Amino acid sequence: MIYISDTRDFKIEEPTVVTIGKFDGRHKGHQKLLREMLRMKREYGLATAVFTFSTAPVALIQDRPQTVITTNQERRNNMEKMGIDYLVEYPFSKEVAHLPPEEFVSHILLGQMNAKAIVVGTDCGFGYQRAGNAKLLRELAPKYGYILEVIDKAREDNRDISSTYIKEELDMGAIEKANELLGEPYAIHGTVVHGNHIGGAVLGFPTVNILPPPEKHLPPFGVYVSRVLIDGTYYGGITNIGKKPTVEGEYPVGVETFVFDFDRDIYGENIEVQLLHFERPEQKFASLEDLKRQLEKDKEYGLRYLKKHGLA
């Protein structure tokens, strides 16, 4: 996959089928769009290209941080796994914010992205004050000669599947419902860093640790049954999200995973931790010995869950 970011000075030379959006979570609705693009690639021989902004426009317009289900790096990893040919993360600015919708289509989508086909959802918005929409794209299609496909929203429980809906489920700790809406497990990607080494040296539970960035939308602190992708292979595990309240000292929010049947040193490597099931909230234990006893129970719980669901 060709990744273009932090620049407005680019031109894709080969003809493309393009979609636009935040793609926060790559949920079932997003997957409908992406599958249609891949179909058009096979039918028309077009390269697939996703256009998004490097920072969510609402965060800059309203001048407030916004958490995301999928960080930019995670979105990049997901698009690459999906087989997308180009991912463009366009820098957002006041100039871009005031771009008239038709100019966005002619200059960016057709000019820079080289779109011969465009795939969007029914609720797409672009250009100044999001005045551009699917209706305008349909009206402009004869003028500019592109193929347009408008895809209906994916729905669940009489509600459109959206990033907002998924965040609500994550906030309640309903990880399985969030995974159902996503169409795949909620995941945290990151580089393995050194922890305090208490897990292995003191408790007998060596763990791998990653530190999610502050913009990552996390579920409630606690222990989850998980699956970990390491070098293309999945391993079962038990993951704690939180700040290690039992261990003395102040710790940043971390994602700490005991990986079943794995003992290789992977410091500095990139992994993906997928959360499958919420077991219990994070808690402070009276002693490390009490924590160790609970970790044994967590391990047994995780193994039973994975075996029951055919993942062990």
Side-chain angles (χ1 to χ4, degrees), residues 46-62:
L46 301 172
T48 52
V50 172
F51 178 94
T52 189
F53 288 109
S54 54
T55 303
V58 68
L60 294 174
I61 292 171
Q62 298 180 5

Side-chain angles (χ1 to χ4, degrees), residues 115-129:
K116 304 303 179 187
I118 299 173
V119 178
V120 293
T122 53
D123 64 341
C124 77
F126 55 88
Y128 183 52
Q129 295 184 337

Side-chain angles (χ1 to χ4, degrees), residues 3-265:
Y3 176 55
I4 301 170
S5 66
D6 300 321
T7 180
R8 291 192 286 272
D9 183 21
F10 72 92
K11 173 72 161 67
I12 297 175
E13 295 300 331
E14 59 183 322
T16 64
V17 51
V18 170
T19 192
I20 59 177
K22 290 186 296 183
F23 292 93
D24 185 18
R26 198 184 62 166
H27 55 63
K28 284 181 177 178
H30 297 144
Q31 289 171 36
K32 286 181 68 176
L33 293 176
L34 296 171
R35 284 196 300 269
E36 177 61 17
M37 291 176 67
L38 293 169
R39 184 196 69 78
M40 296 181 80
K41 174 180 180 175
R42 293 190 298 270
E43 183 173 345
Y44 300 110
L46 301 172
T48 52
V50 172
F51 178 94
T52 189
F53 288 109
S54 54
T55 303
V58 68
L60 294 174
I61 292 171
Q62 298 180 5
D63 192 27
R64 60 181 175 85
Q66 188 177 53
T67 61
V68 292
I69 301 166
T70 306
T71 66
N72 286 8
Q73 182 60 54
E74 289 168 346
R75 180 172 58 201
R76 179 181 177 181
N77 294 344
N78 288 341
M79 292 300 176
E80 193 157 20
K81 282 196 290 186
M82 192 91 182
I84 297 302
D85 297 307
Y86 292 89
L87 172 60
V88 175
E89 289 179 354
Y90 208 77
F92 191 75
S93 65
K94 288 184 178 180
E95 178 187 357
V96 174
H98 286 81
L99 201 63
E102 184 170 348
E103 190 173 337
F104 175 85
V105 173
S106 63
H107 175 69
I108 295 180
L109 297 188
L110 303 182
Q112 292 184 272
M113 301 291 291
N114 201 8
K116 304 303 179 187
I118 299 173
V119 178
V120 293
T122 53
D123 64 341
C124 77
F126 55 88
Y128 183 52
Q129 295 184 337
R130 288 177 59 86
N133 52 29
K135 180 175 179 289
L136 178 64
L137 285 171
R138 201 175 297 283
E139 292 171 354
L140 293 177
K143 177 179 178 179
Y144 291 106
Y146 55 80
I147 301 167
L148 176 68
E149 291 289 343
V150 180
I151 307 298
D152 290 334
K153 298 279 286 184
R155 293 178 63 81
E156 186 92 17
D157 298 330
N158 297 314
R159 182 176 176 182
D160 289 345
I161 295 177
S162 66
S163 299
T164 298
Y165 187 3
I166 295 165
K167 285 179 180 179
E168 290 172 4
E169 297 298 329
L170 288 173
D171 290 344
M172 293 188 293
I175 196 71
E176 281 147 320
K177 180 62 176 180
N179 290 347
E180 183 182 331
L181 298 174
L182 285 165
E184 59 192 7
Y186 167 88
I188 306 164
H189 301 212
T191 302
V192 177
V193 299
H194 285 277
N196 54 20
H197 300 288
I198 288 177
V202 178
L203 300 176
F205 283 85
T207 58
V208 293
N209 296 267
I210 58 178
L211 298 176
E215 70 269 19
K216 179 70 176 180
H217 196 95
L218 296 170
F221 289 176
V223 176
Y224 295 80
V225 182
S226 59
R227 193 169 69 153
V228 189
L229 181 61
I230 304 172
D231 289 337
T233 300
Y234 284 104
Y235 300 86
I238 285 289
T239 295
N240 183 78
I241 298 178
K243 302 183 73 172
K244 300 181 176 71
T246 305
V247 182
E248 187 175 343
E250 286 292 323
Y251 296 91
V253 175
V255 177
E256 184 175 14
T257 303
F258 174 71
V259 186
F260 300 142
D261 302 317
F262 186 86
D263 61 1
R264 184 161 58 82
D265 184 345

